[in-house]
Amino acid sequence: MDVLPENEIYEAVGEDGFRKLCAAFYAQVPEDDILGPMYPQEDMEGAEERLLSFLVYRFGGPQDYIEKRGHPRLRARHMPFVINSAGAQRWLEIMDRAMDEAEIPAPARATLQVFFEHIANFMINSRD
């Protein structure tokens, strides 16, 4: 399986591709029985923009995320939410469908999947 180095993802996907990915992801969240309750409905647009900004920054695009929010501190920022293995798995399932919908190119997708799996498991803060 071909994979892209992380520093080439932004070039391959572009901001538009990441925007499509985040939109496809967040379109699924409100109705999801596991993830939906974790996201405040009134801030869904804000959550989408934060994920977009983070992914763009993380994979080689403009550094707006760091300039606005500082160090990602992902685990600390997500600590108020109960995240168990079922939640992490659901997040991955929804992100996988979003990558399909956004038509993320296969080599970039392979790299993103590894990253997303690592992050989803890293965020687990509660036993099932």
Side-chain angles (χ1 to χ4, degrees), residues 14 63 107 120 123:
Q63 303 294 292
M123 294 300 186

Side-chain angles (χ1 to χ4, degrees), residues 30-101:
E31 302 305 317
D32 186 77
D33 63 328
I34 296 175
L35 297 187
M38 291 186 197
Y39 289 87
Q41 296 301 310
E42 67 278 359
D43 191 35
M44 200 63 70
E45 188 176 307
E48 184 176 330
E49 280 300 313
R50 288 186 295 276
L51 179 60
L52 170 63
S53 182
F54 170 73
L55 292 175
V56 164
Y57 142 73
R58 178 62 178 76
F59 290 102
Q63 303 294 292
D64 296 346
Y65 182 90
I66 292 295
E67 292 168 7
K68 291 178 185 172
R69 297 183 55 85
H71 188 281
R73 300 181 358 238
L74 294 179
R75 192 159 165 85
R77 290 182 197 267
H78 290 80
M79 199 54 73
F81 308 102
V82 174
I83 302 172
N84 58 22
S85 60
Q89 185 59 42
R90 183 64 56 85
W91 192 94
L92 289 168
E93 290 167 8
I94 291 174
M95 186 56 77
D96 196 52
R97 290 193 302 262
M99 285 195 285
D100 285 344
E101 187 176 325

